[in-house]
């Protein structure tokens, strides 16, 4: 297996030992809340099950890596940390607010790592 | 800064624009020269009267001002160039105010000019990969905000579209606007779907253009023999960026930034937001106008949609919001946009906005936001 093939099984955030908050992504330069330097940050898995807070469908192609239609959601990864994520849904009507999600990694053809969010109950 | 504007009054004495337009082969120099020459003529000044210029541009490149200005004559003026995303032009105006309020000059030009497609975003060079590429696309952010507010307030897609109907209607009356056709609700809703509930006619178009304003102090007006009766005073100038809010904050940080910057500009001008006759604001996407109307204080929290529906934000209403057509109708060529807002309010406060004049206009605010996010606000009044 090459580095290009491998994908992580866990989405990680940066935990700040100085203030106890989380920042995404895990390799940030500093804590977004208190400004603590990278030395104070530790990569940690999401401290909660990601939850869907909002969602819309993209109808127009706005980015080459976002084939349309696709559903974009606001996903809560940790208290106060809400990020836009691509939802693995065929239809926006399946996006129930508050639904539990699982982050699934995959690589694009050029090797770029991407995450998609799958409804937890669908991930069997 | 705002205190300085109280102690050393600064006035808009000349305005000029190149109409905003869809991307073309027109060189940026041509766009800029048109705006500057019109502003000089409007003020009754010669190029050699201008000792300093601040150029707001997000994408033209290094030395945009000098390359352009030499076609007016190499007069030796001081030239600065500022980039502050969509608020680049507003920042040029603010820096020009600062040069005047600190006594460096008694007359300064602020110019905004841009061509579509030239700008590059620093966020893409941050060295961090977002979860979704949409994280760098403002349209998606505002589509999500629109959906959230529709859900929380029981608003409909038609409600959002009403903003576009009003602003396209205003733009149809503005000879400098990129869109000059009134649009019906059906046309707005029937245009191509882009993201969430936003259709193409509810989003600002891609474009280019230029806008120029000439600012002067009392001393400059006297020294140059300018027409004092057409001068419009800038009462305050405020700028800030987004701050992190406590967990569980009711509004997204960008909304709080708009609230704080607008309220700070209004407070520094010692006016009441309910007395604003004109408001030019960042309506790149329809939902913004409804929300910003509320947080800027021209109506109560949660009243933005009713304010629009009642016609309070129309030309002739309590406060004409985006009488120019706004970013949706007039266009948003980036660098020029904030300068163009100042030009529109100046024209309105002079009573010279033929065909789209807000009656008895005396007080106006120009408010821009930019990627980052940043905000810049100016309050203007006619004595």
């Amino acid at each position: 297996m090459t580095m290009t093939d491998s994908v992580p099984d866990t989405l990680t955030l940066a935990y700040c030992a100085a203030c106890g908050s989380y920042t995404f992504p895990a390799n940030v330069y500093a804590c977004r809340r208190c400004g603590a330097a990278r030395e104070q940050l530790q990569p940690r898995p999401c401290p909660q099950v990601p939850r869907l807070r909002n969602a819309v469908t993209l109808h127009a192609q706005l980015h080459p890596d976002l084939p349309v239609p696709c559903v974009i959601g606001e996903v809560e990864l940790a208290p106060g940390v809400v990020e836009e994520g691509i939802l693995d849904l065929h239809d926006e009507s399946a996006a129930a607010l508050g639904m539990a999600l699982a982050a699934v990694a995959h690589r694009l053809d050029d090797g770029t790592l991407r995450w998609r969010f799958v409804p937890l109950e669908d991930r069997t | 800064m705002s205190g300085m504007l109280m102690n050393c009054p600064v006035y808009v004495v000349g305005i000029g624009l190149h109409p905003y337009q869809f991307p073309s082969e027109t060189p940026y120099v041509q766009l800029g020269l048109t705006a500057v020459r019109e502003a000089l003529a409007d003020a009754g000044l010669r190029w050699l009267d201008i000792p300093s210029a601040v150029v707001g541009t997000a994408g033209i490149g290094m030395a945009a001002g000098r390359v352009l200005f030499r076609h007016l004559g190499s007069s030796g003026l001081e030239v600065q160039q500022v980039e502050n995303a969509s608020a680049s032009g507003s920042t040029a105006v603010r820096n020009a105010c600062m040069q005047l309020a600190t006594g460096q000059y008694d007359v300064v030009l602020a110019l905004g000019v841009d061509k579509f497609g030239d700008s590059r975003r620093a966020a893409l060079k941050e060295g961090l990969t977002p979860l979704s590429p949409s994280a760098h696309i403002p349209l998606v952010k505002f589509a999500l905000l629109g959906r959230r507010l529709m859900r929380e307030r029981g608003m409909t897609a038609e409600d959002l579209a009403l903003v576009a109907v009003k602003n396209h209607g205003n733009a149809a009356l503005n000879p400098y606007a990129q869109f000059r056709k009134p649009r019906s609700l059906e046309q707005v809703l029937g245009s191509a779907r882009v993201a969430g509930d936003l259709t193409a006619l509810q989003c600002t178009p891609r474009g280019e253009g230029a806008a120029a304003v000439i600012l002067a102090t009392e001393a400059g007006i006297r020294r140059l023999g300018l027409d004092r009766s057409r001068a419009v005073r800038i009462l305050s100038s405020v700028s800030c960026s987004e701050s992190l809010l406590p967990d569980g904050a009711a509004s997204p940080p960008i909304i709080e930034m708009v609230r704080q910057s607008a309220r700070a500009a209004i407070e520094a001008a010692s006016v009441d937001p309910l007395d604003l006759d004109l408001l030019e604001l960042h309506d790149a996407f329809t939902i913004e106008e409804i929300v910003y109307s509320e947080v800027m204080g021209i109506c109560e929290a949660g009243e933005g949609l009713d304010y629009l529906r009642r016609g309070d934000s129309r030309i002739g209403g309590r406060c004409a919001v985006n009488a120019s057509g706004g970013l949706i109708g007039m266009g948003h060529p980036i660098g020029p946009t904030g300068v163009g807002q100042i030009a529109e309010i100046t024209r309105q406060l002079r009573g010279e906005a033929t065909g789209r004049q807000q009656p008895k206009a005396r007080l106006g605010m120009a408010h821009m936001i930019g990627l980052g996010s940043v905000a810049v606000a100016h309050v203007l009044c006619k004595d």
Side-chain angles (χ1 to χ4, degrees), chain A residues 29 33 54 57 59-60 84 92, chain B residues 126 134 144 147 194 196 247:
Chain A
Y29 304 100
R33 183 156 297 278
N54 195 7
T57 302
H59 303 284
E84 285 178 26
E92 186 186 310
Chain B
E126 191 180 19
S134 64
L144 284 160
R147 178 61 59 82
V194 182
D247 290 348

Side-chain angles (χ1 to χ4, degrees), chain A residues 33, chain B residues 243-254 256 260:
Chain A
R33 183 156 297 278
Chain B
S243 62
L244 198 62
L245 300 174
D247 290 348
S251 301
I254 194 167
E256 285 307 310
Q260 289 168 15

